[in-house]
Amino acid sequence: MKRKFFIKRSFLVLLLLIGLVSCDQKEKNNQSKQSKQPTAITKLNTEEEKTVVKHDPHAITIAIEQISSNQFYSAMQYKKVSKPIEKITDLTIVQKQLSGIVDFRKKGDSTLYINKIHFRNGTILENDGECNYCSFVAYFPTDDILLLEGGHMSDVSFDLGTGQETEDAGNPELATESPNSKYRLNKIYEGQECYEHFIQKKQNGKFQKIVDLNKLFKDKTGEWLCYIEKEFWTDDTTLYFGLVTEYKETGNEYVFYKVKIIER
């Protein structure tokens, strides 16, 4: 926009106007510089929200019941075996398959790091230094999830389709699916002793997180869901697991639980 200055204006007013223009220009320059700074995730396409199905938290209820070891092992007779998940760990193959999606940085013959990810929904992940040493572990084609190992052997994962990160994407290798793949128990290792556990539901072909099981378990039982074993489903809405209460060389000790998903 052209600014018109009138000769009849006093010299003082002219100086004031010049000062305002100068401040305005500096502000624009600062905004321009800030916009060029790399961010963790730069959104380039507002359509990415459409790739994530939003779940109604009131659509289901989760019941958690402590059961006896006899009840647990009796139910285990009806457990359904999860389908083996496809994964790629070969460095050469994964670089070819994810060419144009993941910008890898190779170190030696056995380690890949991440420089940048171009998610399929148009967003971009720039490595801002927080994950300089997050090394490639596996790529899961069915889920389109990239799994890395962070500090203290923690899980770091990205859904290459939606841009969702670890706490939503999880670690597919640790997941246990219900018989018809309607729900699954997923978890991530955070680098300490305990794991984060959550339940996902398959919606439009993608598993989406619907329940933070650690928080729910704490709220309902008063106990912390740190480390579980022996998890299995007997049907699409019934999950069993053993919460480890003591580690022993001769065999861990457990308290057993049944989780029931009640759909409305």
Side-chain angles (χ1 to χ4, degrees):
M1 178 182 294
K2 293 184 179 181
R3 294 180 173 85
K4 296 182 180 180
F5 298 94
F6 297 91
I7 297 174
K8 293 182 180 180
R9 296 287 177 90
S10 68
F11 182 68
L12 181 60
V13 173
L14 180 59
L15 287 177
L16 179 59
L17 287 172
I18 292 172
L20 290 172
V21 171
S22 176
C23 291
D24 182 64
Q25 187 61 42
K26 286 181 181 179
E27 180 64 23
K28 288 180 179 178
N29 289 340
N30 287 336
Q31 290 177 355
S32 177
K33 287 179 182 178
Q34 291 173 1
S35 67
K36 293 179 181 178
Q37 294 299 318
T39 57
I41 294 183
T42 305
K43 292 185 178 180
L44 301 181
N45 184 354
T46 57
E47 294 295 313
E48 73 269 9
E49 292 297 331
K50 295 181 181 179
T51 66
V52 180
V53 179
K54 303 222 181 259
H55 175 73
D56 179 3
H58 303 294
I60 63 170
T61 299
I62 306 291
I64 300 175
E65 176 189 358
Q66 182 178 334
I67 60 176
S68 68
S69 59
N70 287 338
Q71 290 174 302
F72 180 83
Y73 287 109
S74 176
M76 188 177 281
Q77 300 177 48
Y78 305 97
K79 81 172 185 177
K80 309 300 181 183
V81 179
S82 293
K83 302 173 185 177
I85 188 164
E86 179 187 2
K87 69 174 181 176
I88 298 172
T89 57
D90 185 280
L91 305 190
T92 301
I93 294 175
V94 78
Q95 287 180 92
K96 289 181 179 179
Q97 187 153 344
L98 296 181
S99 177
I101 302 296
V102 181
D103 178 10
F104 288 104
R105 181 178 79 255
K106 194 171 184 180
K107 181 178 179 181
D109 296 326
S110 59
T111 307
L112 286 179
Y113 296 112
I114 306 299
N115 286 328
K116 185 184 292 188
I117 301 177
H118 299 266
F119 294 104
R120 304 186 199 279
N121 63 4
T123 58
I124 296 176
L125 174 75
E126 295 271 5
N127 185 354
D128 59 2
E130 294 184 5
C131 204
N132 277 342
Y133 299 100
C134 294
S135 57
F136 169 74
V137 176
Y139 170 58
F140 302 89
T142 303
D143 290 275
D144 202 17
I145 287 178
L146 180 69
L147 177 65
L148 312 174
E149 182 181 294
H152 302 286
M153 300 178 69
S154 60
D155 290 331
V156 177
S157 62
F158 300 97
D159 186 317
L160 300 182
T162 65
Q164 291 178 303
E165 300 188 23
T166 313
E167 292 185 355
D168 293 298
N171 181 345
E173 194 162 29
L174 299 178
T176 306
E177 291 187 17
S178 66
N180 295 302
S181 300
K182 185 173 185 179
Y183 294 98
R184 75 177 178 184
L185 170 68
N186 206 336
K187 51 179 134 173
I188 54 172
Y189 180 59
E190 295 193 315
Q192 302 298 326
E193 179 184 3
C194 295
Y195 287 72
E196 285 291 324
H197 306 81
F198 50 94
I199 293 175
Q200 296 174 306
K201 182 178 182 179
K202 196 168 223 180
Q203 303 175 95
N204 290 355
K206 297 283 291 186
F207 277 107
Q208 302 290 340
K209 179 178 178 179
I210 60 169
V211 176
D212 180 339
L213 194 56
N214 279 46
K215 182 180 184 306
L216 183 67
F217 191 84
K218 178 69 174 178
D219 291 343
K220 288 184 176 290
T221 69
E223 301 294 330
W224 184 244
L225 195 65
C226 179
Y227 186 73
I228 68 173
E229 293 181 337
K230 301 179 181 291
E231 55 265 40
F232 64 90
W233 297 79
T234 54
D235 56 49
D236 274 329
T237 58
T238 311
L239 170 70
Y240 294 83
F241 61 80
L243 173 62
V244 178
T245 57
E246 188 175 352
Y247 300 95
K248 290 184 176 181
E249 291 184 1
T250 55
N252 295 334
E253 292 190 3
Y254 305 91
V255 173
F256 297 104
Y257 290 89
K258 173 184 178 180
V259 176
K260 185 69 177 177
I261 301 173
I262 304 167
E263 301 174 324
R264 296 181 182 179

